[in-house]
Amino acid sequence: MNPEQSGGSHDHGVQASVAKVLAAEDMREYAIFSLDARGRVASWNAGAQRVKGYRSEEIIGKDFSVFYPRELAESGYPRWELEQAAQDGFFIDRGWRVRKDGSRFWAHVVITAQRSPDGVLDGFIKVTRDESTAQVREHSSRRQFTDLFELASTGIGLFDDAGRLLDANVALTDLLGLPLPQLRDKMDRDFLHPSDEGNGGLLPSTSPLRSPGGVGGPIPHRVLTTSEGEPVLCQVHSKASVDAEGGRSWLAIFHDVTEQVRRTEVLSFQATHDETTGLLNRRGFEEALSSLLAPDADGDVAVLFCDLDNFKRVNDALGHEAGDELLAAVADRLTTELPPKCTAARFYADQFVVVCPDVDAVGGREALTKHVGNVFRMVVPLREWRVHVSASVGSTVVQDHGTPITEILRRAEAAMIENRFRSHGRLQLVRRDGRPAEPHTDQLTLEHHLREALADDRIDLHYQPVIDNDGAVVMAEALLRWSDPELGPVTPDVALGVAERGGLLTDLDRCVLRKALHTSVGLRRPDGRPIAVSVNLSGLHPDRPEFVEEVLAAVDEAGADPANLVLEMVETVLAELGPKPQRAVRELVDAGVRFAMDDFGTGYSSLARLRDLPTQILKLDRMFVGQVCFDPANLGITRAVAELARTMRRQCIAEGVENATQHHLLRAIGIDAYQGFYFSPPLPAGEFRDFLATTPMQTPPHLDPHGPES
């Protein structure tokens, strides 16, 4: 026997009376019991015993097919009923059923599927009513929803053919956060949240283009709105019915899938994003790039391969946790500083990839590559260290959108390797003929070349001016430059790292100090005033017994004025000086030498300690200067440092000034002098003398010191 012959859910007569027969004025006439997910009886009530004749101990655990005539049971009809209920949330039927004594009765049946919060099928609730007598049929009420519907954990609503709500169960009113009187007569479209992507209302009759099987295809879920305007994601299943007058109505079931969808979204995010940085991972990047390479996509797509320079040193020195912090800081900068529409991804430990959908819109491939390289240049405070970050960047522009992604990435990576050697990236060495250094160019080899350079006086210095508020040069910082005959140019951080590991820092400091003092003798401003030179000390420390003698001997040997020498040390070194080294510093101060606290703001010295330190100059770290235009907190900190320096009668110099806006703000809050590429890059001694002839520089008019809001 097929389902329609036995009164299945497709029978129009059954559908016409679905709502009528569920009215329950006397619950004793109903058999209400539950089934597990496999169809075995799980619970039994007194009404079930009256209707079907079984005691609970006789029936619990048995398959519910015992309630059906043998021909129906053998046809698989009971199992089909459960499948329909599981699929649609509920199933309504009329047909012959069998009592324990073998007698048959005409039954009205409602089966409701029960699911866990995770959407897993838990079982079914089955309600059976004996409608064998005309009296029972006569007592079928016109009420559209009864207390039986309240057994369902999902929301159920009854709508007329126009989409107007006629009745609802408690689960639906709880879901929407409104009592039934306020829901009744609302149109189905009134239940939708503004973010819903459907077309029209909830029902097929009011959403013909987006209903299941319609032109637009099925929608996985609809977005309903609560009384407070919050979105609720629901699966909505609806079926047509016929009311007592023969008109069409709609039964709809609403299953809340908000948490399920959110969990799916989280899993999808985790599958396509890197856990450490939050950027796209390789899978997510390839999906994004594939969409940009669609046949109908416009614009030339650029892909950039970026490799952090010597990232391994962070993991080796500070541990993998610090390395992860560094990667997260790099990711934050990529997220905020890349051109619009550019997307960054992290591939492996220290490798990042950037895709630009329209390279022409950002000035072309060369400009984009340079910009991305500059984005990677940053200083990240980690523990008590400051890590200078840079990256080697290579790019390729995709001409043929059919090019495999693996080939595109290979080209970008090859360009990165080529640019690394060409630009002498950090911790990379290049010969004069442009060929990369051999792989065996290790610490011992570099140390050997550095010792020869010190012995042969082949260490050069460049000078970066420090400009005061009148546009005059008040100082010049001496910066190390080393170009080896075999290795070619070697960047300062490479030279310092080799010197530190090879025990050459003190010798390197002596060399730089001596050269800077000799240069200072001939430095004069146009008005004839001498220019001081500042020298960073890394190995020549005040705790050395001969510190004072070495410095004064270098001054005398150059014939320089001690007043024209500034010795720079980082905040952490100065803050840790003991009583004896402090006396050595004060002895040099008494002789006329000045001391500057470099990278101020990144250490941990207290105000009391700062007050006692024999320093005359505070150099504000470029980390604060770089963000002074964007971060009110940095602007406030910078203003506080300027006020602190003024109160303690220290000169305050801002490092890393890159543009006019920074200079404008820093001057407004009381900074005394400035150093950075906005005024001049580091220059060879001869070019620095030429630069002096062009000063004083034109500077903006003085601003109100209480100027920009912080």
Side-chain angles (χ1 to χ4, degrees):
M1 181 180 296
N2 64 42
E4 294 190 8
Q5 290 174 320
S6 65
S9 64
H10 298 289
D11 180 50
H12 294 293
V14 173
Q15 293 179 354
S17 57
V18 163
K20 293 191 302 176
V21 298
L22 288 175
E25 297 174 355
D26 186 352
M27 296 298 293
R28 292 175 300 175
E29 299 178 4
Y30 288 83
I32 303 176
F33 55 98
S34 64
L35 308 176
D36 63 17
R38 297 173 59 183
R40 294 172 302 192
V41 177
S43 69
W44 197 250
N45 73 344
Q49 182 172 339
R50 283 193 297 271
V51 172
K52 295 183 178 288
Y54 292 95
R55 296 190 308 276
S56 61
E57 61 269 21
E58 296 176 313
I59 195 63
I60 289 179
K62 292 185 180 293
D63 191 277
F64 81 117
S65 60
V66 300
F67 305 135
Y68 293 74
R70 190 170 70 176
E71 63 270 21
L72 271 183
E74 292 176 350
S75 71
Y77 183 71
R79 189 62 48 191
W80 179 84
E81 278 189 326
L82 295 186
E83 291 172 355
Q84 297 303 303
Q87 175 182 317
D88 298 328
F90 64 97
F91 181 78
I92 301 173
D93 190 18
R94 271 197 180 92
W96 292 107
R97 297 296 183 267
V98 179
R99 299 184 179 91
K100 176 184 176 183
D101 60 9
S103 62
R104 295 191 178 198
F105 66 98
W106 185 258
H108 175 271
V109 180
V110 177
I111 303 175
T112 304
Q114 300 296 301
R115 294 186 180 275
S116 69
D118 294 331
V120 177
L121 181 67
D122 277 346
F124 305 87
I125 291 178
K126 187 170 182 181
V127 181
T128 303
R129 185 177 185 183
D130 184 354
E131 291 188 343
S132 299
T133 65
Q135 183 179 9
V136 174
R137 295 192 188 95
E138 188 178 344
H139 285 173
S140 295
S141 169
R142 298 184 120 196
R143 289 178 56 201
Q144 304 300 307
F145 274 88
T146 69
D147 293 340
L148 295 179
F149 279 90
E150 307 308 334
L151 296 173
S153 59
T154 53
I156 300 175
L158 177 68
F159 297 83
D160 66 16
D161 195 34
R164 183 180 291 102
L165 182 73
L166 303 176
D167 209 344
N169 68 347
V170 172
L172 184 57
T173 61
D174 289 345
L175 181 68
L176 300 178
L178 286 172
L180 181 58
Q182 294 184 33
L183 291 175
R184 189 175 283 126
D185 292 334
K186 281 183 177 289
M187 301 302 295
D188 61 334
R189 59 180 173 271
D190 297 332
F191 295 97
L192 295 173
H193 191 268
S195 63
D196 182 75
E197 298 181 353
N199 182 7
L202 290 165
L203 306 175
S205 61
T206 57
S207 301
L209 297 181
R210 296 299 300 273
S211 61
V215 176
I219 303 173
H221 59 259
R222 305 301 298 271
V223 186
L224 277 61
T225 184
T226 68
S227 59
E228 297 180 352
E230 295 296 321
V232 179
L233 281 58
C234 287
Q235 286 181 342
V236 181
H237 299 280
S238 58
K239 283 194 175 183
S241 182
V242 180
D243 59 27
E245 287 74 33
R248 187 167 69 167
S249 60
W250 291 90
L251 280 171
I253 187 167
F254 301 82
H255 181 56
D256 185 357
V257 294
T258 305
E259 288 305 316
Q260 179 182 343
V261 170
R262 286 176 180 167
R263 281 195 299 272
T264 301
E265 291 173 347
V266 168
L267 291 175
S268 175
F269 182 89
Q270 292 173 344
T272 56
H273 288 74
D274 174 60
E275 181 180 1
T276 301
T277 63
L279 299 177
L280 291 173
N281 58 19
R282 182 166 190 140
R283 173 182 170 183
F285 174 82
E286 290 181 354
E287 290 178 1
L289 181 57
S290 294
S291 65
L292 295 176
L293 298 179
D296 57 346
D298 296 326
D300 290 334
V301 178
V303 175
L304 296 89
F305 199 98
C306 317
D307 193 359
L308 294 184
D309 295 319
N310 203 27
F311 173 72
K312 185 176 182 293
R313 78 191 193 281
V314 177
N315 283 338
D316 291 345
L318 304 179
H320 288 277
E321 185 177 343
D324 287 346
E325 291 179 25
L326 177 63
L327 293 172
V330 170
D332 287 343
R333 185 168 172 91
L334 289 173
T335 302
T336 57
E337 299 295 331
L338 286 177
K341 297 184 180 180
C342 288
T343 302
R346 180 193 177 201
F347 267 26
Y348 301 110
D350 60 348
Q351 294 179 344
F352 295 81
V353 178
V354 176
V355 62
C356 177
D358 188 354
V359 67
D360 294 330
V362 294
R365 171 184 171 182
E366 227 177 278
L368 176 62
T369 305
K370 182 178 180 181
H371 178 79
V372 172
N374 289 334
V375 169
F376 276 98
R377 296 184 185 278
M378 57 189 295
V379 178
V380 180
L382 288 177
R383 312 296 187 266
E384 70 274 18
W385 301 92
R386 297 173 66 251
V387 179
H388 292 257
V389 181
S390 68
S392 301
V393 181
S395 61
T396 184
V397 175
V398 184
Q399 304 291 344
D400 179 6
H401 282 199
T403 305
I405 291 178
T406 52
E407 174 62 18
I408 295 171
L409 292 172
R410 188 197 64 76
R411 293 175 186 173
E413 185 174 12
M416 179 273 295
I417 295 172
E418 180 181 350
N419 287 343
R420 168 182 284 171
F421 293 137
R422 182 186 301 145
S423 62
H424 319 306
R426 297 184 72 223
L427 297 182
Q428 295 297 321
L429 305 176
V430 181
R431 301 182 185 277
R432 283 188 178 276
D433 60 5
R435 293 184 296 110
E438 297 297 328
H440 61 267
T441 306
D442 53 11
Q443 168 66 28
L444 292 178
T445 304
L446 293 168
E447 185 179 318
H448 169 74
H449 284 280
L450 181 56
R451 289 184 188 277
E452 287 189 341
L454 289 170
D456 298 339
D457 199 22
R458 286 189 281 103
I459 298 296
D460 294 321
L461 299 180
H462 283 192
Y463 298 86
Q464 188 169 35
V466 177
I467 310 295
D468 67 11
N469 284 316
D470 295 323
V473 179
V474 294
M475 190 188 309
E477 182 176 0
L479 298 169
L480 172 69
R481 295 294 184 269
W482 175 29
S483 183
D484 188 87
E486 292 184 27
L487 302 176
V490 181
T491 54
D493 55 331
V494 173
L496 289 171
V498 171
E500 181 179 12
R501 292 187 293 271
L504 297 174
L505 271 181
T506 302
D507 293 335
L508 192 57
D509 278 356
R510 291 193 189 102
C511 176
V512 173
L513 177 62
R514 180 178 54 81
K515 280 183 170 289
L517 285 169
H518 275 278
T519 302
S520 72
V521 173
L523 295 179
R524 291 287 185 277
R525 297 195 319 198
D527 60 6
R529 294 181 62 181
I531 300 296
V533 292
S534 65
V535 176
N536 283 281
L537 297 183
S538 300
L540 196 60
H541 279 182
D543 55 0
R544 290 173 57 85
E546 61 278 12
F547 176 70
V548 174
E549 289 74 19
E550 286 190 87
V551 173
L552 292 180
V555 172
D556 292 340
E557 191 264 335
D561 186 347
N564 295 332
L565 174 62
V566 177
L567 298 179
E568 294 190 20
M569 298 183 190
V570 294
E571 179 181 353
T572 50
V573 171
L574 285 169
E576 293 174 354
L577 291 179
K580 189 173 180 180
Q582 284 198 53
R583 286 195 296 271
V585 170
R586 288 193 174 90
E587 188 175 344
L588 286 177
V589 171
D590 292 339
V593 177
R594 287 176 288 170
F595 282 81
M597 183 179 287
D598 196 16
D599 300 341
F600 182 75
T602 62
Y604 47 81
S605 57
S606 66
L607 292 180
R609 185 67 169 153
L610 180 62
R611 177 195 61 196
D612 297 333
L613 290 174
T615 54
Q616 295 75 45
I617 299 170
L618 300 181
K619 298 192 76 173
L620 182 67
D621 187 73
R622 65 183 67 242
M623 177 178 67
F624 298 105
V625 174
Q627 294 295 317
V628 74
C629 301
F630 310 102
D631 188 348
N634 273 337
L635 181 60
I637 291 171
T638 304
R639 174 180 287 169
V641 171
E643 290 290 340
L644 176 65
R646 188 160 39 251
T647 300
M648 304 182 73
R649 298 184 179 180
R650 264 79 159 176
Q651 184 183 24
C652 187
I653 298 174
E655 293 182 288
V657 181
E658 303 286 350
N659 56 59
T661 304
Q662 291 172 353
H663 181 213
H664 188 85
L665 286 172
L666 293 167
R667 181 173 180 176
I669 61 178
I671 298 296
D672 299 310
Y674 319 87
Q675 178 181 348
F677 276 71
Y678 175 61
F679 300 98
S680 172
L683 301 169
E687 293 181 26
F688 179 72
R689 292 187 180 93
D690 295 338
F691 177 86
L692 285 176
T694 66
T695 58
M697 304 176 68
Q698 289 294 111
T699 59
H702 187 66
L703 300 176
D704 180 4
H706 302 290
E709 289 295 322
S710 60

